[in-house]
Amino acid sequence: MIWVIGSKGMLGSELALQLTQANIPWTGTGEEVDITNVQSLENFFNSTETASYLSSHNTENHADNGKIRWIINCAAYTAVDKSEDDAEKAHAVNADGPMNIARVARAHGAKLIHLSTDYVFDGTANVPYTENFPRAPLGVYGRTKSEGEDNVAKGMTQYYIIRTSWLYGFDGRNFVYTMTNLMNTHESVKVVNDQKGSPTFCGDLASVILRFIEKADGATSFFGRNSAAPYGTYHFTNEGVTTWYEFAKTIYEYGQKYGRISHDCDVQPCTTAEYPSKAVRPAYSVLSKNKIEKELRIKIPSWESGLERFMKSDRFSLK
């Protein structure tokens, strides 16, 4: 069984759907299990495994039926600007939470997949960041996420940390929904054109997460074709590089193409300095995907492909 922590969030909801469609047993939790409290995690783990054992007692495979073998941690304090004023809560969720989850996972023999972010880097590079590039977060959000990575690595050995960026999906607030709503209600919008990165469609990220599990559970040998990817840190985003402005222009193009935007709107570029925020954003957030492509043997879709599939889907729903 797979335990999805944060199963009601944007990525967690997508994972829940894909797990259900693949007929893979899973359980999910939200705020009812407090990841900042290790005993809350222990209680859920123990109650879930006890219930699974009792319901399957006297069956042939009761020892493994319902046992939590993987934990996917999608929970995070992602309010980047609010983190600057609420550092204590950001630290509790982003740093202490992963530490507690790793502790419980190791104690119960479960493997962990933990989600992290491009914000662990300072954005001063001019080539894609590799997994081992020195971290230098600019603000509270990035620092607490970086510490969360360290806590996972210190707490256990059987883990995957997946850093991603510019994430959007069907369930939850995100840049694509925000821009689509603005373009339907405003004559013009200004969007930052001096920050570069790679948008990531939740559907593609969820598929990659499940690919890690598939390869690990189906591994035949260390050197075999179906061997598991080595534990450690990986990067995943959709392929390609863009700016928020170019991203917004493409949202407008696909929005009109698929009937999501019925209003004429002038999309204009601006600088970060014109719209200052409490937290400093990395100017360059491009992550290298060479490692994950090699280890998972995947071809990563372009960010334009991910966006188009998202905007034409029947699941696209403006709030």
Side-chain angles (χ1 to χ4, degrees), residues 36 77 83-94 96 140 144:
T36 69
Y77 188 99
S83 295
E84 298 297 313
D85 295 323
D86 199 359
E88 184 176 349
K89 183 174 181 179
H91 186 274
V93 176
N94 294 340
D96 293 343
V140 171
T144 57

Side-chain angles (χ1 to χ4, degrees), residues 79-84 119 138-141 276-282:
V80 177
D81 289 324
K82 288 183 180 179
S83 295
E84 298 297 313
Y119 275 69
L138 298 173
V140 171
Y141 171 66
S277 58
K278 184 174 288 289
V280 180
R281 267 68 172 171

Side-chain angles (χ1 to χ4, degrees), residues 191-196 242-246 268-272:
V191 186
V192 170
N193 196 33
D194 54 4
Q195 295 176 22
K196 292 183 178 180
T242 190
T243 67
W244 290 109
Y245 165 68
E246 293 294 340
Q268 301 177 356
C270 68
T271 66
T272 299

Side-chain angles (χ1 to χ4, degrees), residues 260-318:
R260 308 302 185 188
I261 298 172
S262 56
H263 188 272
D264 290 335
C265 183
D266 182 22
V267 184
Q268 301 177 356
C270 68
T271 66
T272 299
E274 292 179 65
Y275 285 89
S277 58
K278 184 174 288 289
V280 180
R281 267 68 172 171
Y284 184 86
S285 292
V286 182
L287 304 177
S288 170
K289 275 81 69 178
N290 292 339
K291 181 180 177 182
I292 202 168
E293 287 180 307
K294 175 185 176 184
E295 297 298 341
L296 293 190
R297 305 186 184 209
I298 58 173
K299 182 175 176 57
I300 300 175
S302 69
W303 69 264
E304 294 95 336
S305 167
L307 179 62
E308 184 165 21
R309 283 180 281 123
F310 174 69
M311 296 198 73
K312 73 178 181 180
S313 171
D314 291 340
R315 295 173 59 199
F316 187 97
S317 177
L318 294 174

Side-chain angles (χ1 to χ4, degrees), residues 184-223:
N184 272 318
T185 56
H186 290 68
E187 299 297 325
S188 67
V189 293
K190 285 189 174 183
V191 186
V192 170
N193 196 33
D194 54 4
Q195 295 176 22
K196 292 183 178 180
S198 304
T200 308
F201 174 39
C202 267
D204 292 334
L205 176 56
S207 295
V208 163
I209 291 170
L210 298 189
R211 176 66 174 152
F212 272 106
I213 296 174
E214 175 189 23
K215 278 183 67 68
D217 286 352
T220 56
S221 69
F222 185 79
F223 296 104

Side-chain angles (χ1 to χ4, degrees), residues 55-68:
S55 66
S56 59
H57 193 54
N58 294 326
T59 63
E60 289 186 11
N61 299 315
H62 71 77
D64 291 323
N65 189 10
K67 178 179 174 61
I68 296 174

Side-chain angles (χ1 to χ4, degrees), residues 39-248:
Q39 192 57 54
S40 180
L41 291 162
E42 277 282 1
N43 290 344
F44 179 81
F45 210 116
N46 291 329
S47 64
T48 300
E49 294 211 325
T50 299
S52 298
Y53 176 83
L54 292 175
S55 66
S56 59
H57 193 54
N58 294 326
T59 63
E60 289 186 11
N61 299 315
H62 71 77
D64 291 323
N65 189 10
K67 178 179 174 61
I68 296 174
R69 301 177 63 250
W70 288 88
I71 300 174
I72 305 174
N73 179 32
C74 302
Y77 188 99
T78 58
V80 177
D81 289 324
K82 288 183 180 179
S83 295
E84 298 297 313
D85 295 323
D86 199 359
E88 184 176 349
K89 183 174 181 179
H91 186 274
V93 176
N94 294 340
D96 293 343
M99 176 178 65
N100 295 335
I101 294 168
R103 174 180 169 184
V104 171
R106 183 182 64 182
H108 290 268
K111 303 176 179 69
L112 173 63
I113 296 177
H114 173 67
L115 278 299
S116 193
T117 173
D118 59 302
Y119 275 69
V120 300
F121 300 117
D122 63 11
T124 60
N126 55 16
V127 294
Y129 285 98
T130 59
E131 287 79 359
N132 59 0
F133 195 93
R135 286 168 287 163
L138 298 173
V140 171
Y141 171 66
R143 286 197 297 271
T144 57
K145 290 295 289 183
S146 181
E147 188 173 341
E149 291 184 9
D150 289 337
N151 287 340
V152 167
K154 291 174 185 175
M156 62 189 302
T157 58
Q158 293 182 311
Y159 69 86
Y160 295 110
I161 293 171
I162 305 175
R163 296 183 186 132
T164 190
S165 69
W166 295 24
L167 195 62
Y168 63 92
F170 295 108
D171 298 296
R173 298 175 59 186
N174 59 72
F175 183 77
V176 182
Y177 279 154
T178 297
M179 284 294 106
T180 303
N181 278 321
L182 287 173
M183 290 169 183
N184 272 318
T185 56
H186 290 68
E187 299 297 325
S188 67
V189 293
K190 285 189 174 183
V191 186
V192 170
N193 196 33
D194 54 4
Q195 295 176 22
K196 292 183 178 180
S198 304
T200 308
F201 174 39
C202 267
D204 292 334
L205 176 56
S207 295
V208 163
I209 291 170
L210 298 189
R211 176 66 174 152
F212 272 106
I213 296 174
E214 175 189 23
K215 278 183 67 68
D217 286 352
T220 56
S221 69
F222 185 79
F223 296 104
R225 181 176 180 182
N226 295 318
S227 60
Y231 293 117
T233 302
Y234 291 81
H235 290 168
F236 180 83
T237 66
N238 281 115
E239 198 57 79
V241 180
T242 190
T243 67
W244 290 109
Y245 165 68
E246 293 294 340
F247 188 19

